[in-house]
Amino acid sequence: MSAAIEPEEQPSRAAGACVLVVLGGAAVGVAFAVDEAAGVLLVVVAGAVALYRSARRMSDSRTTPPPSLSGDVYAAHSDEIDRIQEGPGEGLTILYPKPADREVNR
């Protein structure tokens, strides 16, 4: 009898998020049970931290310069189209450009 090889299971990101939400909710519940002001303070601080992290992540991504096109695979192609072919999907059209006669300087 041969043993079936089962793929290794990967942890679910959704399950991890659910666990964090439950733990966070429990912490907020305990803080509100101890003192209402402590619960409000915890919610405000957690929101400020989340907003700060989100703003930092956005500012980092917006300062990244766009990639250079000098090493692009398609940089040697011309603007002229060699042939057009209908693709396998609905409304999909494949354009094949004519190869350029010149070499790309690197």
Side-chain angles (χ1 to χ4, degrees):
M1 213 193 247
S2 65
I5 299 175
E6 295 181 20
E8 185 176 328
E9 291 187 27
Q10 298 293 326
S12 170
R13 294 183 73 171
C18 288
V19 169
L20 290 177
V21 166
V22 169
L23 290 176
V28 170
V30 168
F32 270 105
V34 170
D35 186 22
E36 186 176 335
V40 170
L41 182 63
L42 180 65
V43 169
V44 168
V45 168
V49 169
L51 181 63
Y52 175 75
R53 288 180 50 124
S54 176
R56 292 267 310 189
R57 197 171 303 138
M58 283 180 57
S59 68
D60 289 345
S61 66
R62 290 185 183 196
T63 59
T64 305
S68 160
L69 297 178
S70 62
D72 194 347
V73 175
Y74 301 104
H77 290 169
S78 69
D79 292 336
E80 297 178 21
I81 297 175
D82 186 32
R83 63 186 168 107
I84 300 174
Q85 178 181 345
E86 293 295 322
E90 182 179 331
L92 181 65
T93 304
I94 303 171
L95 304 175
Y96 293 94
K98 289 184 180 179
D101 295 333
R102 62 186 190 284
E103 286 188 27
V104 177
N105 295 332
R106 291 186 187 217

